[in-house]
Amino acid sequence: MASILDEYEDSLYRSASVQQSRASVGIPHSGYVNARLEKETPIFNKQRIDFAPPEKINSLVVSSNQLCMSLGKDTLLRIDLGKPDEPNQVELGRKDEAKVYKMFLDHTGSHLLIALNTSECLYLNRSVQKVRALSRWKGHLIESVGWNKFLGSETNTGPILVGTAQGQIYEAEISVSEGSLFSTNPDQYFRQVYTLEEESGPAPVCCLEIERGIEGKFFIIATTRKRLFQFVGKVPEGTEQQGFSSIFAMHADHLPSFREFPASFGFSEIAFYTPKLRSNPRSFAWMMGNGVLYGTLDYSRPDSILSDERVWVYPSDIDITVNKPISIVLTQFHFLLLLPDRVKAVCTLNGQVVFQDLFLEKFGLLTRMIKDPTVQQIWIHTEKVVFRYHVQRESRDVWKMYMNMNKFDLAKEYCKDRPECLDIVLAKEAEHCFQNKRYLDSAKCYALTQNYFEEIALKFIEAKQEEALMEFLIKKLSNLKPSEKTQTTLLTTWLTELYLNWLGILEGDPSQRNLYLDTREKFRTFLSSPKNKDCLFNNRASIYELLASHGDTEHMVYFAVIMQDYERVVAHHCQHDEYDEALNVLSRHRDEKLFYKFSPVLIQHIPKKVVDAWISMGSRLDARNLIPALVNYSQSASTQQINEAIRYMEFCVYQLEETQQAIHNYLLSLYALCRPDSLLSYLEQAGTNPNRIHYDLKYALRLCAEHGHRHACVHIYKVMELYEEAVDLALQVDVDLAKSCADLPEDDEELRKKLWLKIARHVVQEEKDVKKAMACLSSCALLKIEDVLPFFPDFVTIDHFKEAICNSLEDYNKHIEELKREMEEATQSAKRIREDIQEMRNKYGSVEPQEKCAACDFPLLNRPFYLFLCGHMFHYDCLLQAVFPNLPAYKQAKLEDLQKKLAATSQPSKSHHRPKDADTISLGKGQQSREQIKADIDDIVAAECVYCGELMIRSIDKPFIDPQKYEEEMQSWL
């Protein structure tokens, strides 16, 4: 194990050197570069609004990007932050000394309530310019409003809750009627539903919030100076428009659940954080006299939705008598406190002040801070200026806090896109798990870090935690890149060693049987993992050595199957006499080479199953490669076992129709050895055509002769056309067999007669059977009695041949009569032929004077001509001109020679007094006559009509224009 670790260290030397060089210049140990190229912007980025109010700012509210600001005594300024250059100014129209006490803007930015210090309330809708007084609200100093986020719209608030300075909670509804002819009061109703009290009596309702949970349950949160009340109840489905009076009625006889703190600075304020628009708040922060109570909201709880509550106590620099907090807002991970001269941001995870912003005295005292929940912007104002805070990447350092709190899952969630931070969290989690002896969890985390491999491995080795070490190596292996082949090889080999050690320990302990089975399954999964397949295959020799060193033959076979090393698997089964298993592996994977290699062993023990497997492989096996196995087996096996070899050879010959000579020869040898009856039927089925016989005739003849199968030898002689040897050997077996051989040479009568004479001599001289000899005469028409007589002894009387001699004489008489008849028929035929010749000489045809030559279209009778039976007529020279080019060369030469001879005979003699018998004298010297020469010319030229005979058929592929004259002909047409 140590050597493997050393090798892995060497493979990581270069990367470790790089990490060390980074560490020397201040780069973290994880190997990630954590340098910031520019100064990071703060989470809370303040921006002063470029706005100079003409009068002092009394109040400011923001919601849904709609900002409303009270200026001076009678002016209201509305700004759509999407269009900041188009402010809208509305006059309140008050002539008394009334001042704006507070303003409330709903979640849609449509409904604005303006509470006056004269216990009056005004209403302004975003779509109108005129402020309306709410007559039913008169006489109440409004401290808080709980908007209905579920039923409210741009023209109707739905049922809302209103808290007063006297502690009463009223339910009201405001509606704007668009386009109404008569002006109606916007306040639909205004009725009291509850009164909040403290120890001293009714207390101002500082804040109101309405939230809806699951299953139609509503939660109403109301705060006073020291108390936080929760009203919980269900509103029947379909009656939501009727309001929340039923919820408050449930607490008419008893107080609702509340939280109370002793200190008070005259008011309190609660803030909520909502992650998404139109979703429920997830956390809260309540600013009161003792500090800030903050936590999460759990809507599944039955009575109180406040959960994970913690109190942040005001530090020493906050004195509630001198510089008490003014406002509070809540973000995802911070709450911000507004003090008269500064803003403090406190992290809700650890309660630490992470941000403090001091405002200059020239801006005046800070008046109020409010957050727009839809865009997550925070607004602060004094009487002179307005500021806005942008919250940017608030969660950037949250992972550190969660990590320090050992909440590693949350820490990883907030740094999953920052690998350098994730590595630190994983390392811290791994160390934490290790210290708490959660070694497997520690190994999983360590494997994901960039910490030095050797340090972590040695750490688990020193702690004697092999299982955790294996988990670490497995995870590390799964994270390696395909290019890191050396590391992959080392880890794979090391894991194999660890698995084998661990399995060896567990196998010897019966109490750990379940753990052993589980570990074995993990090991097999590791060996069969597709990701490790290439590495294991390339290093299978090392893995085999490890398995062999541990004596784990079971997993050696399992690994060999995975590697498709079936040769090793089959060899293992054969060594352990598990021949059926070996054959099953061969049959399952159907590898021809393995069949050839292991068949000699398997057939010695399970011949029938092996032959069945061969047959199932069909033509995929080459039977020639199996013959050595069959030969070795057949030499030592019994006749019954040899039948298995014959069965496979017959399958090859008859089913697969093999034509290889070796296969047929081997089947012949098996037949000759054990099945002589099948031998002859095989030979007869193979036929007698030597070109279609697949066995070696000479080998088969020698084999049959050695085993004394004379009948088979006779058949082979017949196939080889050695009829004399066939008859000689057949006479030793059966005369009838010899007779069948003697009739085979049908085209050679002399040989047939010779063979039959052999049979006759054998019958006469060996068997001395005259009757059988006479039967031979009747079987072969070529034999005569005179051919057989010399074979008989002298003492044989003629009585035995009387019938044969008479039959022979009768045959001679018949033959003579037949010859006479044939002579007469020949004489008659010759006579008819002479008559036909004479008739042809006298045959003629008539030609009209106007007939023309079929070739030149000139009158036919002007020159010598030919008339054919088909009706075509040609001048002699026209026909000669048409025929001559198509004649063979030798006929052209002969025709030219005849023409020369004809011309020579037509020349007049130099002497006009040539004797009359000169021609007779010249003819007598062997020269042809003029008529004979003309007849020879006619035979060549006028053998057939040039238009109707073969000449026209042969010339069909010739072009109409001679290729050599094509250009000339083409030019003539231009």
Side-chain angles (χ1 to χ4, degrees), residues 855 868 872 874 877-889 891-892 895 939-959:
F868 290 96
H872 287 115
F874 299 93
D877 53 344
C878 294
L879 182 62
L880 180 63
Q881 186 178 0
V883 172
F884 186 80
N886 297 289
L887 292 174
K891 283 193 175 183
Q892 290 180 353
L895 182 59
D939 290 341
I940 296 175
V941 175
E944 59 182 359
C945 177
V946 72
Y947 286 171
C948 301
E950 293 183 3
L951 179 61
M952 183 58 68
I953 297 173
R954 289 198 303 270
S955 64
I956 195 168
D957 58 341
K958 291 184 179 181

Side-chain angles (χ1 to χ4, degrees), residues 638-657:
S638 63
T639 303
Q640 184 178 0
Q641 293 173 325
I642 292 176
N643 289 336
E644 295 298 330
I646 294 176
R647 182 162 68 97
Y648 180 66
M649 288 292 103
E650 288 179 339
F651 169 77
C652 294
V653 170
Y654 299 121
Q655 300 296 326
L656 301 182
E657 298 181 353

Side-chain angles (χ1 to χ4, degrees), residues 25-38:
V25 295
I27 296 175
H29 176 68
S30 64
Y32 291 105
V33 178
N34 194 21
R36 294 178 180 176
L37 299 180
E38 58 183 15

Side-chain angles (χ1 to χ4, degrees), residues 285-355:
W286 179 39
M287 180 187 71
M288 39 72 183
N290 290 89
V292 177
L293 174 69
Y294 63 97
T296 59
L297 300 177
D298 185 357
Y299 296 93
S300 63
R301 301 180 66 180
D303 299 324
S304 173
I305 62 174
L306 306 184
S307 178
D308 298 331
E309 300 176 36
R310 286 170 286 177
V311 177
W312 183 76
V313 180
Y314 296 129
S316 58
D317 62 341
I318 298 179
D319 186 352
I320 62 174
T321 60
V322 180
N323 61 340
K324 59 185 177 182
I326 301 170
S327 293
I328 185 171
V329 297
L330 180 64
T331 63
Q332 186 176 6
F333 298 106
H334 302 85
F335 62 80
L336 281 74
L337 285 176
L338 180 68
L339 301 171
D341 61 345
R342 72 192 65 190
V343 173
K344 282 181 179 287
V346 180
C347 180
T348 57
L349 299 178
N350 56 13
Q352 299 294 319
V353 177
V354 297
F355 173 77

Side-chain angles (χ1 to χ4, degrees), residues 4 123 221 359 544 606 690 780 851 859:
I4 295 176
Y123 170 75
I221 297 177
F359 287 77
Y544 281 132
I606 48 174
C780 179
E851 293 292 347

Side-chain angles (χ1 to χ4, degrees), residues 107 365 628 729:
H107 63 286
L365 296 177
L729 185 58

Side-chain angles (χ1 to χ4, degrees), residues 724-744:
E724 292 189 41
E725 290 81 354
V727 170
D728 291 340
L729 185 58
L731 290 175
Q732 301 177 20
V733 179
D734 184 16
V735 174
D736 292 334
L737 179 61
K739 291 180 179 180
S740 64
C741 296
D743 283 331
L744 291 177

Side-chain angles (χ1 to χ4, degrees), residues 213-217 234:
I214 59 177
E215 297 178 354
K217 186 182 291 186
K234 287 187 176 181

